[in-house]
């Protein structure tokens, strides 16, 4: 789990930094689509961390469910 969190956190950082660098480069070259790309970057700045949080929450939920199912199948329940 710890390695998975690190991998997804690093991937999120790389994606966000890449988007900002591309937007900055296009702004400096006076591209007509710069403002649209800026809006997309701002949107992804919000969306990527939210999606990563949802992924981690679902992973934790699924792990808890898996553990509770294993406990129930081990015969530790009432007979």
């Amino acid at each position: 789990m710890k390695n998975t969190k690190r991998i997804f956190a690093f991937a999120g950082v790389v994606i966000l930094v890449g988007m900002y660098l591309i937007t900055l480069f296009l702004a400096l070259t006076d591209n007509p689509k710069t403002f649209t790309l800026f809006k997309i970057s701002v949107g992804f700045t919000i969306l990527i961390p939210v999606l990563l949080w949802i992924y981690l929450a679902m992973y934790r939920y699924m792990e808890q469910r898996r553990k509770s199912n294993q406990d129930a199948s081990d015969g530790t329940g009432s007979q």
Side-chain angles (χ1 to χ4, degrees):
M1 176 69 177
K2 189 180 266 188
N3 287 336
T4 305
K5 282 184 182 180
R6 287 182 182 173
I7 290 169
F8 277 98
F10 184 72
V13 168
V14 168
I15 290 169
L16 289 173
V17 169
M19 281 189 321
Y20 292 138
L21 289 175
I22 289 170
T23 304
L24 177 65
F25 175 75
L26 292 174
L28 294 175
T29 58
D30 197 29
N31 191 320
K33 295 185 179 186
T34 300
F35 187 68
T36 303
L37 292 171
F38 175 73
K39 290 191 294 187
I40 292 170
S41 291
V42 170
F44 277 124
T45 299
I46 297 166
L47 185 66
I48 289 173
V50 169
L51 289 176
L52 289 172
W53 179 81
I54 290 170
Y55 167 77
L56 290 173
M58 289 299 294
Y59 183 82
R60 271 186 254 127
Y61 174 75
M62 296 303 283
E63 281 294 311
Q64 288 175 354
R65 246 182 115 185
R66 185 182 60 84
K67 286 180 183 177
S68 68
N69 285 341
Q70 279 182 348
D71 292 343
S73 66
D74 288 342
T76 57
S78 63
Q79 293 182 4

